[in-house]
Amino acid sequence: MTNNEQLNDNILHLPVADEAQPQHDEAWRKSIPAQVFLNYFFALSYHIREADDATGGLQHLPFFRAHQAELTDADRAQVEKYLHSCWSTEYALRATADLGDEDYLRNALHWTFPQAYHAVMAGLQAFLHTAGVRTNNPSLIRREVGRLVVRNAYPRPVSFYAAGSYGDFSIHRLPLAGYKAGLQIASKAIDAQAQIGQFLRTTRKQKAVAVRQQVQGNPTTAIRSQKTGQPLEKWNAQHWQQITWRLGYTTIFDLLGRLRISQTSREIERYVESDIDFGLFHHSLLDIVSYLNGVHETYVAKALGVERYRELVANLPKHLQHGFVEERLRTRIEPNFTETDPQMGIAA
């Protein structure tokens, strides 16, 4: 099932188009999947902004305060390599968003979708490396970061997740997620959380269906009929429960994974041809990327030592100097460390 098909599943309740304006309504209907996708990412951006307060920051999390790492020179070099990849990709994403031309931003979806995803993944790998998780396997990365989200390694705005088996999904740390999501841009917390909740459920459903296909397509893992011995084509709740452990937890990182749209499919073209606010889409992506990268950079700064991290930032390549990396160090990272806190192990 493609992202487009999945998104269409969410809009079957919409009213029938006004027959008096067939061309306008047809264009609008074709834009609905892209609008829903924009709604999702704007809702994430909105929720992060609204929930990002002084009491929900990293410095209050026991997991962050206990985070330490024994890193060799090779480890530190690898972490810094991940960071440089993260920052260069975010730089490219910012450069596109700053251009501001609607037609350019429309066609830029071909590369900004994967840029947003890979910028966050590179920063995540830098953090995971300091936590002892050293792999390039996407499935293992998703599994490990899911566990970290559940263990409260992430601040409140991005600590939500979905769990449970197909047909019985549960949403955690997002109290308004059970409300019905609308087709309008979020303007209050209930709108944003309802849309994020829907995004979590459709993404987890998509993952469950993919896992089922994988399990049933393998003769050694397929669940079979007790009567015929053949792989079951129809599943009940008990069968879905048997594969739930394979799903892990569904988090914001799985939602970002929905950006990996194949450039060889028509799906990306259908987004490009839609009538939506592409500028808002790009800036929503950038808000999410910047926030998550700031979280991961703060963990890395604690693991490396803030002084070494400052040196790393001071010696950035020319295109990254005196820009967003330095600003995040000053506004988001350094405030988490104080010289009076012995657990931080640094002088502010």
Side-chain angles (χ1 to χ4, degrees):
M1 180 179 291
T2 66
N3 289 343
N4 202 57
E5 291 169 338
Q6 186 67 60
L7 291 171
N8 273 311
D9 285 345
N10 305 328
I11 58 174
L12 296 179
H13 61 278
L14 293 174
V16 177
D18 183 354
E19 295 179 1
Q21 302 179 36
Q23 291 184 340
H24 176 272
D25 291 338
E26 179 62 18
W28 166 238
R29 187 164 186 81
K30 287 182 177 179
S31 296
I32 287 176
Q35 184 65 49
V36 172
F37 216 44
L38 166 57
N39 289 354
Y40 287 161
F41 284 96
F42 179 81
L44 288 170
S45 173
Y46 181 96
H47 179 69
I48 287 171
R49 291 196 308 272
E50 291 296 306
D52 185 22
D53 57 33
T55 62
L58 271 177
Q59 70 271 31
H60 300 291
L61 298 181
F63 188 97
F64 172 73
R65 295 172 68 83
H67 183 62
Q68 295 180 340
E70 294 184 5
L71 302 175
T72 65
D73 288 343
D75 288 328
R76 282 187 284 270
Q78 183 60 58
V79 168
E80 293 174 8
K81 182 178 179 181
Y82 283 135
L83 286 179
H84 278 280
S85 176
C86 165
W87 292 333
S88 291
T89 309
E90 183 179 341
Y91 175 87
L93 181 65
R94 286 174 175 271
T96 298
D98 287 343
L99 289 174
D101 180 89
E102 188 74 7
D103 287 336
Y104 181 77
L105 294 177
R106 176 191 301 271
N107 290 286
L109 292 183
H110 285 283
W111 62 84
T112 53
F113 275 9
Q115 278 176 347
Y117 171 78
H118 288 295
V120 171
M121 288 301 108
L124 171 59
Q125 283 186 276
F127 162 44
L128 290 179
H129 201 89
T130 67
V133 180
R134 293 157 189 182
T135 178
N136 291 317
N137 185 303
S139 296
L140 292 178
I141 290 172
R142 286 195 299 272
R143 183 190 69 186
E144 293 301 325
V145 75
R147 291 174 177 175
L148 288 171
V149 169
V150 173
R151 291 172 61 193
N152 281 306
Y154 283 84
R156 182 187 306 156
V158 291
S159 67
F160 54 82
Y161 65 96
S165 61
Y166 185 97
D168 190 28
F169 297 148
S170 57
I171 309 295
H172 302 261
R173 302 174 188 160
L174 207 63
L176 304 177
Y179 287 88
K180 185 176 181 179
L183 195 61
Q184 303 300 319
I185 290 290
S187 60
K188 48 192 175 183
I190 189 172
D191 300 329
Q193 291 193 34
Q195 289 175 1
I196 296 171
Q198 179 174 276
F199 200 10
L200 285 167
R201 285 187 287 271
T202 58
T203 300
R204 190 166 180 82
K205 177 182 177 181
Q206 188 181 83
K207 174 66 172 176
V209 170
V211 169
R212 171 185 161 166
Q213 292 173 342
Q214 182 181 32
V215 168
Q216 294 303 90
N218 185 335
T220 62
T221 60
I223 299 175
R224 299 176 180 274
S225 167
Q226 294 182 350
K227 294 182 178 180
T228 66
Q230 297 299 311
L232 283 173
E233 294 185 3
K234 295 183 178 180
W235 278 23
N236 58 31
Q238 183 180 6
H239 298 134
W240 285 110
Q241 289 171 3
Q242 291 182 47
I243 67 165
T244 298
W245 66 272
R246 297 175 181 266
L247 301 181
Y249 300 102
T250 302
T251 70
I252 189 172
F253 298 97
D254 297 283
L255 305 186
L256 288 171
R258 295 283 294 272
L259 293 170
R260 294 178 300 163
I261 296 174
S262 171
Q263 295 185 35
T264 61
S265 72
R266 281 189 49 80
E267 190 165 10
I268 189 66
E269 291 298 334
R270 296 181 70 173
Y271 287 133
V272 169
E273 294 167 4
S274 300
D275 182 20
I276 61 172
D277 188 338
F278 291 95
L280 182 62
F281 207 148
H282 281 79
H283 282 92
S284 298
L285 289 178
L286 190 53
D287 285 346
I288 299 164
V289 168
S290 181
Y291 182 84
L292 289 172
N293 285 351
V295 171
H296 296 145
E297 289 159 16
T298 307
Y299 269 109
V300 171
K302 191 169 190 296
L304 293 179
V306 175
E307 286 305 322
R308 181 177 179 118
Y309 187 85
R310 288 186 182 123
E311 291 177 8
L312 176 63
V313 173
N315 292 289
L316 285 172
K318 186 175 181 180
H319 69 284
L320 292 172
Q321 290 179 2
H322 311 301
F324 65 91
V325 179
E326 184 178 301
E327 181 184 4
R328 268 205 305 262
L329 170 60
R330 183 177 65 256
T331 62
R332 296 198 61 87
I333 298 174
E334 290 182 333
N336 289 283
F337 303 98
T338 65
E339 61 182 343
T340 58
D341 190 340
Q343 292 190 49
M344 298 307 176
I346 58 97

